[in-house]
Amino acid sequence: MQTRRKPILIPALALGTLAFLYIPLMAVASFSVNNSRFGLTWHGFTWKWYLELFRNEQILEAVGNTLFLGLVSTVIATVVGTALAIGMSRFPWSKKTSAFFEFNLYMPVITPEIVFAGALVIAFASLRYFSSAFEPGMLNMIIGHVTFQVAFVALVVRSRLAAFNNEIEEASHDLYASSWYTLRKVILPMLTPGIVSGAMLAFTLSLDDFIISFFTAGPTSVTLPLYIYAEVHRGITPKIHALSTVGLLVTIILVIASQKISNSFNEKERDDA
């Protein structure tokens, strides 16, 4: 019996794609432990570039701004995005109103970020006529990040709502539970995996964002992406490679943690079922 030969093109294409994505990242990581300050020549292994990161006050300040911006904007976006997803799915909107909400929900996702950032600049310039609080700085950055994070959180939570068993919610109402009690004790616990995944996605997007941060930042609110951009103009050094590698590791940890949390909730649901 003649065996069918598996096509070689598909695995070769997959391996080539992975190599295209990860070889540059591995190169950056290798340069971050190279004892050579300039050039591509290997001069030995060293951790000194990582140690310099913790001695640089500008980098530490940028790290603090990045974490503060990411945490505050993520909390706000998670609350607003979850409420938006529940409101769109549970309230009996008309077809036209639902279509209007759907359109506006996807707009921040599909709109080019440079256009979105330009619109924020115009909006904040208009708001400065009424209050000086909207000068470029951390407040503007938080608002700017929340405006695009909300859409991603809402989409993730809505995907969880689509798989939600409405019979459990109906049983809660049949047992004379109020809508507020059902929301707290039934809906939100069932949505927890989606809420956590949406929050971690929003936090990751905030950490990596450059364009909106660039258009809304002030002189005292420099984040890591802005700092790296400024340093690259002066020349790429191993210190920048080390900083980029740390950022990559943090992103990988967040993705793994998100998957672990989602899998643990799914296993718990299967055990309860």
Side-chain angles (χ1 to χ4, degrees):
M1 181 177 180
Q2 186 177 4
T3 58
R4 297 181 61 184
R5 298 180 60 183
K6 295 182 179 180
I8 302 177
L9 180 61
I10 295 177
L13 182 61
L15 291 175
T17 303
L18 291 175
F20 179 79
L21 292 174
Y22 290 105
I23 286 180
L25 299 178
M26 294 172 62
V28 170
S30 64
F31 291 148
S32 69
V33 292
N34 186 5
N35 201 22
S36 173
R37 185 172 183 85
F38 301 104
L40 304 178
T41 305
W42 181 260
H43 285 186
F45 185 89
T46 182
W47 290 108
K48 68 179 181 180
W49 309 119
Y50 288 91
L51 296 177
E52 285 191 9
L53 297 181
F54 298 98
R55 303 186 189 125
N56 191 307
E57 293 182 0
Q58 290 182 330
I59 292 179
L60 295 178
E61 182 182 358
V63 170
N65 290 335
T66 303
L67 293 177
F68 179 80
L69 172 62
L71 290 173
V72 174
S73 63
T74 297
V75 170
I76 298 173
T78 301
V79 174
V80 177
T82 301
L84 177 61
I86 295 174
M88 290 179 63
S89 300
R90 289 295 181 266
F91 195 83
W93 304 102
S94 64
K95 290 185 177 181
K96 290 185 177 180
T97 305
S98 296
F100 174 78
F101 282 136
E102 289 279 351
F103 174 80
N104 284 278
L105 180 61
Y106 282 97
M107 278 299 293
V109 178
I110 63 177
T111 301
E113 200 170 4
I114 186 69
V115 176
F116 207 70
L120 287 173
V121 170
I122 297 174
F124 289 133
S126 302
L127 291 173
R128 281 197 290 273
Y129 284 105
F130 304 96
S131 174
S132 60
F134 296 99
E135 291 291 333
M138 186 58 68
L139 177 61
N140 287 10
M141 296 177 75
I142 291 174
I143 296 174
H145 280 220
V146 169
T147 52
F148 73 84
Q149 287 174 309
V150 165
F152 288 94
V153 174
L155 289 173
V156 173
V157 175
R158 285 192 69 194
S159 66
R160 178 69 180 176
L161 276 168
F164 191 79
N165 189 353
N166 293 333
E167 294 179 357
I168 300 176
E169 186 178 349
E170 293 172 0
S172 175
H173 289 300
D174 290 339
L175 294 172
Y176 302 102
S178 64
S179 298
W180 175 241
Y181 185 89
T182 302
L183 175 65
R184 291 187 296 112
K185 298 296 183 178
V186 178
I187 297 178
L188 289 180
M190 295 287 288
L191 291 179
T192 300
I195 295 173
V196 172
S197 299
M200 299 193 75
L201 174 61
F203 184 68
T204 304
L205 292 172
S206 177
L207 293 182
D208 296 337
D209 179 78
F210 169 76
I211 297 178
I212 290 180
S213 298
F214 182 79
F215 276 76
T216 56
T220 61
S221 56
V222 176
T223 60
L224 278 177
L226 298 179
Y227 176 83
I228 294 174
Y229 175 77
E231 286 295 312
V232 166
H233 280 276
R234 303 171 189 170
I236 301 177
T237 63
K239 186 170 62 177
I240 297 301
H241 292 314
L243 186 58
S244 301
T245 303
V246 171
L248 175 64
L249 291 176
V250 170
T251 303
I252 292 174
I253 291 172
L254 289 175
V255 172
I256 294 175
S258 177
Q259 290 180 341
K260 291 288 186 181
I261 294 173
S262 180
N263 291 336
S264 64
F265 277 110
N266 292 334
E267 291 176 0
K268 184 179 178 181
E269 288 182 356
R270 286 195 296 267
D271 294 338
D272 294 339

